[in-house]
Amino acid sequence: MAKLTNISCLLLCATCGASPLFSVAQQAMTYNGLVKDKQLNVGLAGATIRTSSGKYTSTDNEGKFQLLTSPGDSLTITSVGYDSYRVALTSTPTLIIPLVKSATQLEETVVIGYGSIKKSSLTASVSKIENKNLDQVPSARPETALQGRLPGLNISQTRSTPGAAPVIRIRGIGSISAGNDPLLVVDGFPGASWSNINANDIESIEVLKDASAASIYGSRASGGVIIITTRTGKAGKPVVRANVLAGWSQPILHDDFMNSQEYYETIIKYQNREYFYVGGDTSLPLWGDSRRPAGYQVNPDILNGNDVNWQNAVTKNAPFQSYDLSVTGGTEQSKYYLSAVYKDQQGTLLNTFFKSYGMRASVDTKINERFQIGAMLNPTYQSARTSPLTMDSYNKYPPFVAIQNPDGSYPKARDYWGFNVSSQANPMGILMGTNNQGQTLSALGNIYAVYKILDGLTLKTTLNANMFYNNTDKFQASWASNTGLSSGSAADSRIITLLNENTLNYNRTFAQHHDVSLMAGASYQKATSRNINLLAVNGTFNNNIIETLNNALINPNGSNTLKSVWGMISYFGRANYAYKEKYLLSASIRTDGSSRFGPDNKWGLFPSASAAWRISKENFMLDQELISDFKLRASLGNSGNMNIGDFAYLGLVTGGLYTVNDQTQNWLAQSSFGNNKLSWEKTNEFDLGIDLSFWTNRLSITADYYRKRTKNLLYQVSIPSTTGFTSSLSNIGEIENKGFEFDLNSKNLIGKLKWNTNFNFSFNRNKVINLGGVNERMTSISYGMNWLLRVGEPMFSYYGYKHIGVFQREEQLNSLPKLTGEKLGNPIYEDINKDGKITADDRSILGNFMPKSYWGMTNAFSYRNFDLSFTLQAVIGSKMYNFENQFYQGSVLGNMRKSLVAGSWWSPQEPGDGHTPALSLSQLSFNANSDLYIEDASFLALRNINFGYTFPTDLSSKMGIKSLRLFTSVNNAFLLTKKGFHAYNPEGYTGGEVGGISSTPGYNVGSEPISRVYTFGLNLSF
């Protein structure tokens, strides 16, 4: 019994000793640590530290961290590109943790079509940028943050209105009629829109530049492919991130518009010159003398005390704000990501704005070791109000017109000076009395499932849907109209796209050295659209209060409904092979069948192949330390273009209304000529590349030479008029783009002061190879400038006379060759063919809208908790046909810019500088047909400068914040243009991009001022 009692006591003591109630708890303590690169002996920013008890933190810019936990706990430290490190905590409060670069994690992964690949194994030309601070660039659209950052990706902000989309081109322009935009793929969905994307949701952006990389997307990839991968959930406790930006946009304006006195003095000379040209006596009084026709008089009452600079009157400093919030977390089995964004950008032009609301939700769930599912939904709502006029219509208004009358009405120029001046309504009245608003609701979503069939063999299926709804309402009050008649319209549209894609992936390594990756897939896509357009009969609104069309009569000739549908079936595959990571091969093929093309050419085939040799893996390279990586690449591939609209191969029918015996009748007639052989445009591209890195990747260089030819161009060709038509859409012609790209990345300093640099440039030469049996095609506009398509020359070159002087004296006019009708003050043209006459044969190519080269440089500095970065962009060699200049030279008796009329020929007594001709509406046909209005649009811009401070973690943690950074930035801090350039924006074109045989790219009349943007913001997480 005593033994049993003793044993019981021992068991009780053992149990109590093991119980937490009787143990002495380990006291929590603060650990201070430094995570560093073992080889370079420098701190690693952004490393993640997790405890076995579930706590976590990350290192600051110097690699330091602070964590409150207990001895006996263990830490796991991870950082991208390094092996993870595990350490058990003791009572020592200071930790130094060296991380070793990992042979596997060091390999940066690049997303390609329907998969990803190690960058070192890449055989094609692909550029990648990660979202480290793109979301800190204030813009309504994320793509503008990429300006100057990637070679071969050229982004031009042609319009400076709120929410306006920039023009994006990859390796030049290859299509005349079928569009040149790159295909945007967002989380695997091809054909997505940038307007759906919140910059804060972007994880990385890959640009597939050559055809071997892009051909896996077949008939939509001739303009290149941009792949956006968005952020997804990460396992762990919930992490909340917030980004807040606020600031203002300041328009960069002209400073040389005339005041009222200067305008009055100049308009007298202008009117006298016009009277001189018709043989009038310029000594006659300027006003009140019936001998001088009214059209050549000047009313002295315009010196009435009003002195309005309309440019300044209609613009303002415009505030903007942006709020972004995201939450991520979950377990290893189920992860989630939620985000929401709100942006409000007021326009620098009065009464304009852009607002955007967006959400994104994704979840990824691992059912078991073989089965994974996930879903994503991304709705976006946007609202915008736009200007009814371009800037020239505001700026040219005479300065003697008051902004507003005391009674609230808006005076017109003709209220002061009769019919001589413009009949346009008051600019402020137009802005206040015109309401052009549009709303867009879109939603991109997908669900997916991945099943692991065998080790290395997986099947993935996705179902995607993209819904787009848009409505636009326009109303102009009678008092804001040039005619005094109210007007209005309404338009609604919707597009619903469904896409199912199924891919089978196989990855296996054989005999340790043979890496094989195979992919096969099928895709099924269908899109339906519906459009409704309603137009009011001008002047039928009962009042100016109710702006909807139920307050007016509907115009049947401008009202219609349209429905359309298109579909595509695709099959594709790719094979990658690597031997010892040294010799790399890749081949892909895709076939697309589209409803848009004729029955004789429904299907297109798009193959590609590429190879690379990693010389740095050869034995003779292993014992040196200078070169980290050395790879040669070569690729060849085909891609296509299907952007011609639905049913273009058919002979389409259109309709309308006509009146017979006072009865309205409907009519139908064939409107286009059918072509059953209509097929894809095909782009064949060859690329040679080299990838070099030195000193353990501190300096890396990528260079590419490419040549791509787009054949079977889709454009209208002339056909015999006996068919009832003059043109037909056909596959004829060929365009070539060839060029060179260079990209350099360097880690200049890697100690406490860090300095990284990216420098890139690209050259592209465009040339017409074939136009289907003709040598040239030409498009002309009013007053004589031409856009030329000619074999051997760049697309849409300016074509006209070369201006070499001015007829200042009668003896010049009598002795030098000239055009019929030229007078004193008109241009002297160069006699190109030296035949002593000026004829159409003396016209020549005067330049081109396409730049010869693009340059970009980004520098990023950090020291302790401070960071600074800036991006420079330069564009060299582009020319602008700046036709708006003539409006600022008095052509409609509007206000003038002093720099544009200085040196003009005014009279035989005031002959000017010998270079600037007589600038007036009556002589415009002798000025606009030459290079007088062609200006060098080269520029250098400091696109963004960003300065930030990150609070120390020990300070921010006291506020319950994991990370807190304050920053300020300036966009377009400076913009330098060539002397003699007069537009607001060197990229500001109003004539549109290349979009058909009658395109006028580079034409500018009224583009908006570019803005300098000042921003203050904060990034925080907790």
Side-chain angles (χ1 to χ4, degrees):
M1 182 69 180
K3 289 183 178 180
L4 181 60
T5 302
N6 291 337
I7 292 173
S8 300
C9 290
L10 288 172
L11 289 172
L12 179 62
C13 290
T15 303
C16 292
S19 170
L21 297 175
F22 292 89
S23 64
V24 179
Q26 300 259 23
Q27 294 295 322
M29 59 184 293
T30 299
Y31 288 88
N32 293 289
L34 171 66
V35 180
K36 64 180 184 178
D37 182 301
K38 183 176 182 179
Q39 181 181 5
L40 301 177
N41 196 34
V42 295
L44 293 175
T48 301
I49 299 95
R50 295 182 183 274
T51 70
S52 54
S53 59
K55 296 180 180 180
Y56 64 90
T57 188
S58 58
T59 59
D60 61 18
N61 288 337
E62 296 182 348
K64 297 178 181 178
F65 70 92
Q66 192 175 77
L67 190 66
L68 180 66
T69 189
S70 302
D73 209 344
S74 63
L75 302 182
T76 301
I77 301 92
T78 58
S79 183
V80 175
Y82 294 83
D83 287 329
S84 61
Y85 189 94
R86 187 177 178 87
V87 59
L89 296 178
T90 64
S91 58
T92 303
T94 303
L95 303 170
I96 297 179
I97 300 167
L99 296 188
V100 178
K101 288 187 177 180
S102 170
T104 55
Q105 291 187 10
L106 182 61
E107 297 291 356
E108 181 182 0
T109 299
V110 176
V111 177
I112 55 178
Y114 304 100
S116 60
I117 192 171
K118 293 185 297 184
K119 186 176 181 180
S120 62
S121 299
L122 197 62
T123 57
S125 180
V126 179
S127 292
K128 176 180 180 178
I129 186 168
E130 295 181 339
N131 186 7
K132 294 182 179 178
N133 60 1
L134 294 179
D135 49 10
Q136 296 171 17
V137 178
S139 174
R141 301 183 65 93
E143 61 267 48
T144 56
L146 300 176
Q147 286 181 309
R149 294 179 182 264
L150 294 172
L153 177 67
N154 307 315
I155 300 175
S156 303
Q157 191 68 52
T158 59
R159 304 304 300 269
S160 299
T161 54
V167 174
I168 303 176
R169 296 291 176 259
I170 297 175
R171 292 185 170 180
I173 297 172
S175 178
I176 294 176
S177 300
N180 294 279
D181 292 335
L183 175 69
L184 181 65
V185 180
V186 177
D187 291 334
F189 181 83
S193 170
W194 284 97
S195 61
N196 286 92
I197 306 302
N198 172 20
N200 297 280
D201 291 332
I202 296 174
E203 183 76 29
S204 67
I205 300 174
E206 276 86 358
V207 182
L208 314 187
K209 295 185 290 188
D210 69 356
S212 70
S215 65
I216 197 67
Y217 289 103
S219 62
R220 294 175 285 186
S222 64
V225 178
I226 298 176
I227 298 178
I228 293 180
T229 303
T230 61
R231 289 168 173 161
T232 56
K234 290 180 170 55
K237 291 184 177 179
V239 176
V240 179
R241 293 185 176 89
N243 294 316
V244 179
L245 285 76
W248 69 94
S249 300
Q250 180 187 67
I252 304 174
L253 303 175
H254 299 316
D255 60 1
D256 62 341
F257 278 104
M258 292 182 179
N259 60 34
S260 289
Q261 183 64 44
E262 292 167 330
Y263 170 80
Y264 179 73
E265 294 170 357
T266 306
I267 212 68
I268 288 174
K269 295 196 293 183
Y270 183 96
Q271 288 291 73
N272 275 333
R273 183 180 59 197
E274 293 295 277
Y275 195 29
F276 168 80
Y277 277 144
V278 297
D281 180 3
T282 59
S283 66
L284 292 173
L286 283 160
W287 184 253
D289 191 322
S290 60
R291 291 175 297 169
R292 179 186 281 251
Y296 302 103
Q297 296 189 18
V298 179
N299 188 344
D301 289 344
I302 63 177
L303 279 178
N304 55 15
N306 293 327
D307 193 358
V308 178
N309 183 322
W310 285 101
Q311 169 196 246
N312 297 341
V314 300
T315 59
K316 61 179 172 59
N317 289 345
F320 71 88
Q321 52 188 326
S322 174
Y323 306 92
D324 180 271
L325 184 69
S326 66
V327 183
T328 182
T331 65
E332 293 297 335
Q333 284 69 41
S334 186
K335 307 168 188 177
Y336 62 87
Y337 177 87
L338 302 171
S339 73
V341 63
Y342 166 67
K343 294 183 178 181
D344 181 355
Q345 181 184 16
Q346 297 296 307
T348 55
L349 198 58
L350 295 180
N351 248 6
T352 62
F353 65 80
F354 175 82
K355 296 182 180 181
S356 178
Y357 310 79
M359 296 185 66
R360 190 176 190 87
S362 68
V363 60
D364 302 278
T365 300
K366 187 176 181 181
I367 304 299
N368 53 44
E369 291 301 317
R370 291 187 177 272
F371 193 43
Q372 179 179 337
I373 60 173
M376 183 277 294
L377 182 63
N378 176 203
T380 303
Y381 174 77
Q382 296 174 341
S383 176
R385 182 168 181 168
T386 58
S387 168
L389 299 176
T390 51
M391 281 301 297
D392 61 297
S393 296
Y394 301 119
N395 293 345
K396 70 186 181 186
Y397 216 61
F400 57 77
V401 182
I403 293 176
Q404 193 172 15
N405 288 322
D407 63 1
S409 62
Y410 295 94
K412 297 182 180 181
R414 289 192 173 181
D415 296 340
Y416 298 83
W417 187 6
F419 70 91
N420 279 0
V421 289
S422 171
S423 62
Q424 177 186 303
N426 183 293
M428 190 64 70
I430 293 174
L431 278 171
M432 297 299 112
T434 306
N435 189 2
N436 294 346
Q437 288 204 44
Q439 291 81 35
T440 298
L441 176 64
S442 60
L444 176 64
N446 68 52
I447 56 175
Y448 76 89
V450 178
Y451 182 68
K452 183 178 179 182
I453 302 172
L454 300 169
D455 287 344
L457 180 63
T458 59
L459 173 66
K460 181 177 182 180
T461 183
T462 63
L463 180 62
N464 303 268
N466 189 20
M467 292 173 285
F468 175 88
Y469 297 88
N470 175 263
N471 67 76
T472 302
D473 296 290
K474 297 182 178 181
F475 173 78
Q476 187 169 65
S478 57
W479 47 266
S481 168
N482 296 341
T483 62
L485 300 176
S486 56
S487 61
S489 64
D492 289 329
S493 64
R494 73 176 185 223
I495 303 173
I496 299 176
T497 305
L498 300 176
L499 171 69
N500 170 238
E501 292 189 317
N502 306 277
T503 55
L504 194 64
N505 284 274
Y506 178 71
N507 297 278
R508 187 74 180 269
T509 300
F510 298 94
Q512 296 185 332
H513 300 309
H514 301 272
D515 296 320
V516 176
S517 175
L518 303 174
M519 183 273 295
S523 173
Y524 310 92
Q525 185 167 358
K526 182 180 180 180
T528 58
S529 63
R530 176 185 173 93
N531 296 275
I532 301 174
N533 300 286
L534 295 174
L535 179 67
V537 177
N538 288 350
T540 63
F541 281 85
N542 294 309
N543 52 59
N544 290 319
I545 300 173
I546 300 175
E547 301 179 356
T548 52
L549 299 191
N550 59 318
N551 190 34
L553 297 178
I554 302 300
N555 185 344
N557 284 323
S559 303
N560 55 65
T561 61
L562 301 169
K563 286 185 178 181
S564 191
V565 62
W566 68 271
M568 186 166 68
I569 299 176
S570 307
Y571 304 98
F572 47 90
R574 180 174 56 229
N576 293 329
Y577 170 75
Y579 176 65
K580 291 186 175 181
E581 297 185 332
K582 186 188 308 183
Y583 308 113
L584 312 169
L585 297 172
S586 180
S588 70
I589 190 168
R590 179 172 179 131
T591 180
D592 288 331
S594 173
S595 64
R596 288 182 169 175
F597 292 93
D600 297 341
N601 284 299
K602 284 289 186 190
W603 290 86
L605 189 66
F606 307 96
S608 74
S610 56
W613 176 26
R614 291 189 71 191
I615 300 174
S616 54
K617 286 291 186 178
E618 296 289 354
N619 292 334
F620 60 82
M621 295 287 289
L622 298 181
D623 294 332
Q624 54 83 39
E625 298 182 355
L626 173 65
I627 299 176
S628 311
D629 194 26
F630 182 13
K631 180 170 63 177
L632 298 177
R633 295 178 280 104
S635 66
L636 182 67
N638 290 326
S639 56
N641 192 333
M642 54 167 275
N643 297 317
I644 61 166
D646 304 334
F647 311 113
Y649 70 92
L650 293 173
L652 301 182
V653 174
T654 190
L657 299 175
Y658 67 98
T659 301
V660 177
N661 298 326
D662 295 327
Q663 297 293 318
T664 300
Q665 305 290 332
N666 292 319
W667 62 266
L668 291 174
Q670 186 173 342
S671 60
S672 65
F673 195 77
N675 183 357
N676 284 341
K677 296 184 179 297
L678 198 64
S679 183
W680 326 86
E681 288 185 352
K682 284 193 176 182
T683 297
N684 178 275
E685 185 170 3
F686 171 71
D687 186 284
L688 281 176
I690 182 172
D691 299 321
L692 266 173
S693 60
F694 302 90
W695 301 297
T696 320
N697 297 316
R698 283 194 61 179
L699 176 67
S700 61
I701 297 171
T702 297
D704 282 88
Y705 167 80
Y706 63 88
R707 187 194 69 190
K708 66 176 186 177
R709 288 195 171 187
T710 303
K711 303 179 180 181
N712 298 330
L713 296 179
L714 290 159
Y715 78 98
Q716 298 286 343
V717 299
S718 299
I719 60 175
S721 58
T722 53
T723 62
F725 302 91
T726 57
S727 63
S728 174
L729 187 62
S730 303
N731 293 101
I732 292 178
E734 183 176 347
I735 303 292
E736 178 184 79
N737 285 278
K738 62 181 179 181
F740 176 76
E741 297 168 354
F742 179 84
D743 189 37
L744 179 147
N745 288 278
S746 64
K747 300 176 182 178
N748 307 314
L749 298 174
I750 57 176
K752 287 186 177 180
L753 175 61
K754 297 179 177 62
W755 174 22
N756 297 334
T757 297
N758 168 262
F759 173 73
N760 65 82
F761 65 83
S762 58
F763 300 87
N764 185 75
R765 295 295 180 266
N766 176 277
K767 184 168 66 174
V768 176
I769 303 298
N770 185 287
L771 287 173
V774 298
N775 187 60
E776 64 183 42
R777 298 281 299 267
M778 195 181 305
T779 296
S780 300
I781 63 167
S782 300
Y783 303 111
M785 181 49 65
N786 306 284
W787 277 258
L788 179 70
L789 283 168
R790 176 184 285 174
V791 173
E793 301 292 345
M795 299 168 62
F796 295 103
S797 296
Y798 306 122
Y799 189 67
Y801 297 102
K802 188 173 182 180
H803 158 254
I804 59 174
V806 175
F807 288 113
Q808 293 180 294
R809 303 179 305 276
E810 287 286 349
E811 54 267 29
Q812 290 177 299
L813 192 63
N814 295 329
S815 61
L816 296 176
K818 57 184 177 296
L819 284 175
T820 301
E822 283 202 270
K823 307 175 182 68
L824 284 177
N826 290 153
I828 299 173
Y829 302 122
E830 184 175 0
D831 184 7
I832 297 292
N833 59 10
K834 308 301 180 184
D835 65 354
K837 298 179 292 185
I838 301 297
T839 65
D841 294 335
D842 292 304
R843 295 177 299 178
S844 62
I845 291 176
L846 304 173
N848 194 273
F849 72 101
M850 288 181 280
K852 295 179 180 177
S853 62
Y854 298 83
W855 304 73
M857 182 172 70
T858 299
N859 282 279
F861 304 86
S862 64
Y863 179 73
R864 296 187 182 275
N865 292 52
F866 294 94
D867 61 89
L868 172 70
S869 66
F870 65 86
T871 297
L872 289 164
Q873 183 194 20
V875 173
I876 308 297
S878 59
K879 304 289 185 181
M880 174 187 288
Y881 183 63
N882 198 18
F883 192 60
E884 74 176 17
N885 286 355
Q886 57 95 14
F887 287 114
Y888 306 145
Q889 294 168 333
S891 65
V892 289
L893 300 185
N895 202 0
M896 290 169 272
R897 292 181 59 192
K898 288 176 278 190
S899 62
L900 288 170
V901 298
S904 299
W905 189 95
W906 293 108
S907 67
Q909 295 74 35
E910 194 176 352
D913 58 13
H915 175 77
T916 310
L919 303 166
S920 65
L921 187 60
S922 66
Q923 307 305 306
L924 188 57
S925 60
F926 296 116
N927 299 329
N929 60 359
S930 73
D931 58 355
L932 180 67
Y933 294 134
I934 294 178
E935 299 180 342
D936 191 334
S938 302
F939 69 88
L940 171 66
L942 179 54
R943 285 301 187 191
N944 179 260
I945 182 169
N946 189 298
F947 176 72
Y949 176 76
T950 301
F951 284 77
T953 53
D954 56 346
L955 179 60
S956 59
S957 61
K958 293 178 181 178
M959 298 182 286
I961 298 174
K962 178 182 176 183
S963 174
L964 174 61
R965 176 178 178 268
L966 301 179
F967 70 91
T968 183
S969 74
V970 182
N971 277 19
N972 299 315
F974 68 74
L975 177 67
L976 303 179
T977 57
K978 293 291 288 290
K979 183 179 180 180
F981 182 78
H982 293 94
Y984 286 119
N985 180 3
E987 296 178 317
Y989 303 120
T990 58
E993 277 290 307
V994 174
I997 201 69
S998 299
S999 300
T1000 57
Y1003 176 78
N1004 175 52
V1005 178
S1007 61
E1008 303 79 15
I1010 195 170
S1011 294
R1012 185 171 292 118
V1013 184
Y1014 300 91
T1015 305
F1016 297 92
L1018 65 87
N1019 314 124
L1020 62 87
S1021 63
F1022 46 89

